[in-house]
Amino acid sequence: ISHVQLSEPMKLPPGTSLHTFQTFIDRVIQCCGAENVSIISKCDKLVDGHYMNPCKGHDMHAIYDRDYFLASAVICPRDVPEVQMLMRLCNEFEVPAWPFSIGRNTGYGGAAPRVSGSVCLDLGRHMNRVLDVNVEGAFALVEPGVTFFDLHEYLEEHDLRKHVWLDVPDLGGGSIIGNAVERGVGYTPYGDHWMMHCGLEIVLPNGELVRTGMGALPDPTIPAAEGLRPDQQPGNRCWQLFNYGFGPYNDGIFTQSSLGIVVKMGIWLMPNPGGYQAYMITLPRDNDLAAAMDIIRPLRMQMVLQNVPTLRHILLDAAVHGPKSSYTAKSEPLDDADLDEIAKKLDLGRWNFYGAVYGPEPIRSVLLSVIKTSFLSIPGSRFFLPEDRHEPNSVLRTRANTLQGIPSVDELKWVDWLPNGAHLFFSPITKISGADAEAQYAITKKRCTEAGLDFIGTFVVGMREMHHIVCIVFDREDPKSRTKAHWLIRTLVDDCAKHGWGEYRTHLALMDQIANTYNFNDGAQMKLNEQIKNALDPKGILAPGKNGIWPKGYNKATWVI
Ligand code: ADP
């Protein structure tokens, strides 16, 4: 084992001396190999990279300075035993670790750790195999580094799309595991990724390896299991078929959590429905929002709307077509007349609804006729198929791929609405109702205007609620623009809490504030979360501070932001 000359990190783990850190890194190198350990040293320049080649130790969309949330080192374990060993080393040296699968996590903090000086564990670099695609059971079993692109390519290469489809989010470069454990969404009928996961293999903070659900039951009828390491043993034949197993259902506590590192996960694939048609319905007026919502709710709950459809504000689509400067010389937020002009230019509505129907032709045409009749009761609304749209970068054409599980990066373009575009997502949950959507839109739009930013947003319709995704675009090189974006999101969290609206997920910088809004009965849920955290991770080495949960060794008062 070669002993490399260790450089001094820009940020040390809290309470760790340089000497201890170097001894720790020495041991890590013995475990994972020097080539799999990189220190972010004092003399490094923090380079953001870009979506296709993201930085791994900080947030490329930093809202504070780039070194505010910064890793001391990035470690790439090669297999499950190395992850287990790393957990033991982190406990021995009391060094916090922040795991990620790919580290894109765009709009929510990227690869950056909540506690600066943590070591980032880049799980996806080496652990990136598609372990199984089972056509009969319609599921896949994947490692952390498998992205939506990877699994899609696997299905194509093995000519499997005729049997099973994947569900993908707007951008295909993220990991299947990272997205599911953060409870991200896609847009086919299988859009709720966490709902569609089935079976986990997890390394606990003490290094123990656990399989959840039916995975806890070994299958001695599989001869290959003999003599293999636990992580190599084939799983129970029902591991990816039945989520719950026996006893308390564990899986939920490993989402948005700091209780374990997911090293394998099953994900259900959608049987090829035997036919598909994407469509768009444009709605001309700002206040068509409410009418549309009251049409959407019953249709979605009855599953006439089979997929996770979206109702997008004109500026989200406009931003995919070009930066703000391509429409106007204004720097202040656009007004109604500007938006009408943009909608006219792009031949779109003020709101644009994107959906799809799935199944053989007779099923599709019945569903489509109900959907059309319902929406076209809104005066001026128009219905389009992908072949009706000829403009370059047609959002409907991109959505026509996304809604059948074909990943892309086309929607990256809206981040360039402003120069040096970066973004934050503000994502409150709301009821599918005209009154609720209208109220939430009015509040968020008003605050965007106060911040001097344009409202860019979309309502993503789940089974019974909506994820309202507000895309806060700012200029990352302009401190004033960052400050405005930061003020905006902090203000919106408080505004929305006053209406009983909470966010489903958030950026590192907002985790404490949002956790504090989920405070029923004197913060009883946080007390429960802290009890579980302290029991499973007494030294608080795994992702301290994630989602506002601080281990007992951290003085919360000094850490909370
Ligand atoms: P993406 O897949 O978009 O690149 P990340 O890999 O950055 O996203 O994951 C997003 C977040 O999800 C991470 O910051 C971490 O909190 C959590 N996460 C990701 N992968 C794992 C994992 N394998 N085990 C536990 N938590 C994970």
Side-chain angles (χ1 to χ4, degrees):
I1 295 156
S2 64
H3 183 97
V4 290
Q5 188 62 44
L6 296 176
S7 51
E8 189 173 341
M10 208 177 285
K11 289 276 166 88
L12 276 166
T16 305
S17 69
L18 179 60
H19 175 75
T20 306
F21 180 75
Q22 290 184 333
T23 316
F24 166 77
I25 288 292
D26 233 15
R27 297 275 298 279
V28 169
I29 287 173
Q30 284 172 32
C31 166
C32 304
E35 68 283 11
N36 292 312
V37 182
S38 36
I39 291 176
I40 299 175
S41 88
K42 278 198 153 150
C43 12
D44 284 334
K45 191 168 183 301
L46 298 177
V47 179
D48 290 341
H50 48 85
Y51 185 82
M52 296 317 290
N53 183 22
C55 56
K56 298 285 185 178
H58 72 279
D59 178 10
M60 74 162 69
H61 299 279
I63 189 76
Y64 295 108
D65 290 337
R66 286 182 178 82
D67 64 358
Y68 190 88
F69 297 120
L70 176 65
S72 53
V74 181
I75 303 167
C76 309
R78 290 170 290 198
D79 57 20
V80 173
E82 288 187 3
V83 177
Q84 296 178 272
M85 182 70 79
L86 286 170
M87 286 297 89
R88 295 190 183 111
L89 284 174
C90 287
N91 272 295
E92 187 183 332
F93 289 86
E94 303 200 19
V95 167
W98 183 268
F100 58 75
S101 290
I102 294 291
R104 288 202 164 94
N105 200 22
T106 180
Y108 293 113
R114 173 64 182 81
V115 168
S116 267
S118 299
V119 290
C120 279
L121 305 185
D122 181 351
L123 302 162
R125 168 100 174 269
H126 298 297
M127 300 167 62
N128 55 15
R129 288 173 300 171
V130 175
L131 296 169
D132 190 13
V133 172
N134 183 301
V135 168
E136 199 178 63
F139 65 78
L141 182 68
V142 296
E143 292 187 325
V146 177
T147 65
F148 293 95
F149 276 121
D150 294 337
L151 188 52
H152 173 69
E153 277 161 26
Y154 183 100
L155 297 181
E156 291 259 289
E157 267 169 31
H158 295 80
D159 198 22
L160 290 172
R161 279 199 89 242
K162 62 184 183 220
H163 299 302
V164 284
W165 288 6
L166 177 62
D167 184 283
V168 301
D170 301 84
L171 301 173
S175 62
I176 293 176
I177 288 183
N179 191 280
V181 299
E182 287 297 290
R183 305 196 289 258
V185 296
Y187 303 97
T188 73
Y190 281 35
D192 184 334
H193 293 161
W194 180 246
M195 187 187 289
M196 296 300 164
H197 100 286
C198 194
L200 300 176
E201 183 177 282
I202 305 156
V203 175
L204 297 181
N206 64 3
E208 183 100 72
L209 188 73
V210 174
R211 285 183 179 173
T212 66
M214 297 308 291
L217 182 71
D219 185 347
T221 68
I222 305 176
E226 271 172 47
L228 291 177
R229 289 194 322 243
D231 67 288
Q232 294 173 322
Q233 290 171 15
N236 185 291
R237 278 165 295 168
C238 290
W239 192 18
Q240 272 62 63
L241 299 179
F242 181 61
N243 238 318
Y244 310 132
F246 185 74
Y249 172 60
N250 307 129
D251 294 35
I253 63 168
F254 297 104
T255 65
Q256 296 194 3
S257 108
S258 51
L259 300 175
I261 298 179
V262 178
V263 285
K264 290 185 184 72
M265 186 186 79
I267 183 88
W268 286 347
L269 303 172
M270 177 170 141
N272 184 320
Y276 167 77
Q277 179 66 59
Y279 62 87
M280 166 177 75
I281 298 168
T282 63
L283 308 170
R285 286 166 301 268
D286 208 30
N287 62 12
D288 290 332
L289 174 66
M293 287 305 163
D294 292 327
I295 290 169
I296 291 168
R297 184 184 55 255
L299 293 181
R300 178 71 178 122
M301 288 176 65
Q302 294 156 353
M303 298 195 188
V304 172
L305 292 169
Q306 298 161 289
N307 75 318
V308 174
T310 47
L311 185 63
R312 294 163 60 118
H313 186 261
I314 177 63
L315 282 191
L316 184 55
D317 286 14
V320 172
H321 286 284
K324 183 167 182 172
S325 58
S326 68
Y327 298 97
T328 172
K330 268 189 179 178
S331 60
E332 63 270 29
L334 301 181
D335 60 24
D336 275 329
D338 300 320
L339 297 181
D340 282 341
E341 198 176 310
I342 291 176
K344 193 163 166 226
K345 179 175 168 194
L346 297 174
D347 192 24
L348 289 169
R350 177 65 71 91
W351 294 98
N352 300 289
F353 183 76
Y354 293 89
V357 285
Y358 303 77
E361 200 282 326
I363 295 179
R364 299 199 309 270
S365 50
V366 166
L367 292 173
L368 263 187
S369 75
V370 178
I371 293 165
K372 268 191 197 173
T373 314
S374 307
F375 275 96
L376 297 183
S377 66
I378 298 176
S381 59
R382 294 181 297 154
F383 179 90
F384 294 89
L385 295 176
E387 55 265 37
D388 301 329
R389 306 297 301 196
H390 305 288
E391 68 274 27
N393 301 329
S394 153
V395 173
L396 177 53
R397 284 174 177 268
T398 296
R399 297 310 284 178
N401 280 334
T402 308
L403 272 52
Q404 57 175 307
I406 299 175
S408 81
V409 287
D410 294 356
E411 301 229 21
L412 262 183
K413 296 189 191 87
W414 61 250
V415 181
D416 298 325
W417 181 244
L418 296 180
N420 309 309
H423 72 107
L424 270 174
F425 283 126
F426 174 65
S427 339
I429 296 294
T430 182
K431 188 179 151 183
I432 313 173
S433 91
D436 279 61
E438 210 166 42
Q440 205 171 83
Y441 169 56
I443 287 165
T444 45
K445 188 174 169 176
K446 175 172 160 276
R447 292 298 195 187
C448 288
T449 309
E450 282 171 28
L453 297 169
D454 291 305
F455 172 88
I456 301 179
T458 175
F459 288 94
V460 178
V461 187
M463 307 264 293
R464 278 174 171 67
E465 56 64 56
M466 298 188 295
H467 291 36
H468 177 197
I469 310 289
V470 181
C471 311
I472 302 178
V473 179
F474 59 96
D475 177 343
R476 75 180 88 187
E477 302 302 344
D478 175 1
K480 269 202 267 162
S481 181
R482 285 191 304 180
T483 308
K484 281 198 283 192
H486 199 173
W487 173 84
L488 175 59
I489 195 164
R490 291 200 81 94
T491 308
L492 285 174
V493 170
D494 285 344
D495 283 352
C496 283
K498 285 184 194 129
H499 289 82
W501 293 317
E503 291 67 50
Y504 94 99
R505 177 181 183 186
T506 198
H507 186 278
L508 299 170
L510 283 304
M511 284 176 174
D512 295 310
Q513 188 189 354
I514 292 177
N516 200 34
T517 64
Y518 283 77
N519 58 11
F520 166 75
N521 192 17
D522 196 22
Q525 192 196 29
M526 180 52 83
K527 289 178 202 161
L528 170 66
N529 283 331
E530 286 172 351
Q531 249 181 322
I532 298 174
K533 175 70 182 161
N534 291 329
L536 291 190
D537 183 10
K539 291 195 172 168
I541 51 106
L542 190 61
K546 181 159 168 69
N547 286 71
I549 299 165
W550 291 97
K552 61 176 183 295
Y554 283 74
N555 176 0
K556 200 166 173 174
T558 60
W559 282 95
V560 162
I561 48 177

